[in-house]
């Protein structure tokens, strides 16, 4: 009887909440395998679609690809799924689950959840990302000012992105115009430090040596 009660406790309090969390997560995923973009993030969907369509031209068969934890990077998944023999690395559990659903060779970087979110960041995550050299990184951030400074309000994610930039042969910054002329607490880098920036519209007044799409 004690064993039965213990088993009931494990199922009811430990397993079922995790199952419900996974189901709730999947309910938020709108996956359209015909190439249209899905989203668990409802903000700026049209702008992120434009950015993803532009950035998709940088994809090639056989690439190793890092996607950061941003929702903007997630919009690239349907285009990545069309490539042959690609693999992705990400610290976003939602991105990883959706990539698996789309049949993409997926590597989750592991680590600890940041504030109970689907984003992972810890010493384990840092060690894993530092041990690889990927062909290309797609990342975003909360802000980019007129001087080209890219910044974010989350220290852990900022540090993770810095490691991702070091671990990729080419870094691509994805940013919609609502983030233009804004500044957040933690500086990541300058736009001149990355290879390509992809915007949904032109950033008037920004001077940079980086390629702009």
């Amino acid at each position: 009887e004690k064993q039965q009660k213990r088993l009931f406790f494990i199922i009811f309090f430990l397993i079922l909440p995790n199952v419900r969390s996974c189901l709730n997560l999947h309910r938020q995923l709108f996956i359209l395998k015909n190439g249209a973009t899905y989203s668990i993030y409802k903000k700026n969907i049209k702008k992120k679609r434009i950015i993803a369509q532009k950035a998709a031209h940088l994809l090639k068969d056989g690439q190793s690809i890092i996607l950061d934890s941003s929702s903007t990077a997630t919009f690239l998944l349907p285009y990545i799924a069309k490539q042959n023999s690609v693999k992705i690395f990400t610290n976003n559990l939602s991105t990883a689950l959706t990539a698996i659903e789309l049949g993409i060779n997926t590597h989750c970087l592991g680590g600890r959840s940041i504030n109970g979110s689907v984003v992972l960041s810890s010493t384990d995550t840092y060690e894993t990302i530092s041990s690889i050299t990927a062909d290309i990184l797609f990342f975003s951030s909360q802000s980019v000012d007129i001087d080209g400074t890219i910044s974010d309000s989350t220290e852990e994610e900022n540090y993770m992105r810095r490691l991702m930039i070091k671990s990729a042969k080419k870094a691509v910054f994805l940013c919609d115009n609502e983030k233009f002329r804004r500044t957040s607490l933690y500086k990541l880098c300058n736009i001149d430090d990355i290879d390509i920036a992809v915007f949904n519209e032109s950033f008037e007044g920004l001077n940079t040596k980086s390629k702009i799409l």
Side-chain angles (χ1 to χ4, degrees):
E1 185 178 351
K2 288 183 178 180
Q3 289 181 339
Q4 290 178 341
K5 289 182 178 179
R6 185 179 179 184
L7 180 61
F8 174 81
F9 176 85
I10 292 172
I11 293 174
F12 190 82
F13 290 100
L14 299 181
I15 297 177
L16 286 182
N18 291 329
V19 171
R20 285 195 292 269
S21 295
C22 289
L23 290 174
N24 288 334
L25 179 61
H26 278 285
R27 287 192 192 104
Q28 296 178 69
L29 302 178
F30 300 94
I31 304 168
L32 303 180
K33 296 187 178 182
N34 61 357
T37 309
Y38 70 93
S39 180
I40 63 170
Y41 308 91
K42 294 183 179 180
K43 187 177 180 181
N44 299 334
I45 290 178
K46 291 182 180 179
K47 295 177 180 181
K48 291 173 182 178
R49 282 177 177 167
I50 293 171
I51 292 169
Q53 288 169 357
K54 289 183 176 182
H57 296 291
L58 302 171
L59 297 172
K60 298 177 182 177
D61 290 345
Q63 280 180 322
S64 53
I65 302 165
I66 301 174
L67 298 181
D68 79 337
S69 58
S70 67
S71 59
T72 309
T74 310
F75 274 73
L76 275 167
L77 287 178
Y79 300 99
I80 294 173
K82 295 179 181 180
Q83 309 301 313
N84 297 314
S85 303
V86 296
K87 61 179 67 175
I88 71 161
F89 298 82
T90 185
N91 65 321
N92 185 315
L93 290 174
S94 293
T95 301
L97 286 171
T98 307
I100 292 169
E101 291 277 358
L102 292 172
I104 301 169
N105 186 346
T106 304
H107 298 255
C108 189
L109 294 171
R112 176 178 51 81
S113 167
I114 299 178
N115 299 323
S117 71
V118 294
V119 180
L120 306 177
S121 183
S122 69
T123 53
D124 292 334
T125 327
Y126 307 151
E127 289 176 5
T128 303
I129 194 63
S130 298
S131 69
I132 67 171
T133 302
D135 293 309
I136 193 166
L137 158 69
F138 295 95
F139 76 100
S140 188
S141 196
Q142 290 182 344
S143 310
V144 56
D145 66 20
I146 193 65
D147 295 323
T149 299
I150 301 170
S151 56
D152 198 275
S153 63
T154 307
E155 187 175 13
E156 295 94 336
E157 291 192 54
N158 231 26
Y159 181 68
M160 187 65 196
R161 290 187 180 110
R162 194 171 291 118
L163 293 179
M164 287 178 168
I165 291 171
K166 290 181 180 179
S167 296
K169 297 175 184 177
K170 181 179 293 185
V172 182
F173 176 52
L174 312 173
C175 184
D176 68 71
N177 65 299
E178 288 199 11
K179 300 174 182 178
F180 293 174
R181 296 180 175 83
R182 294 178 58 183
T183 302
S184 297
L185 180 59
Y186 299 102
K187 178 181 177 181
L188 173 60
C189 63
N190 191 277
I191 201 166
D192 286 340
D193 300 324
I194 55 102
D195 301 285
I196 301 171
V198 185
F199 304 142
N200 63 300
E201 64 178 45
S202 62
F203 190 162
E204 298 296 333
L206 176 68
N207 293 314
T208 177
K209 63 183 180 181
S210 297
K211 183 177 180 181
I212 304 293
L213 297 181

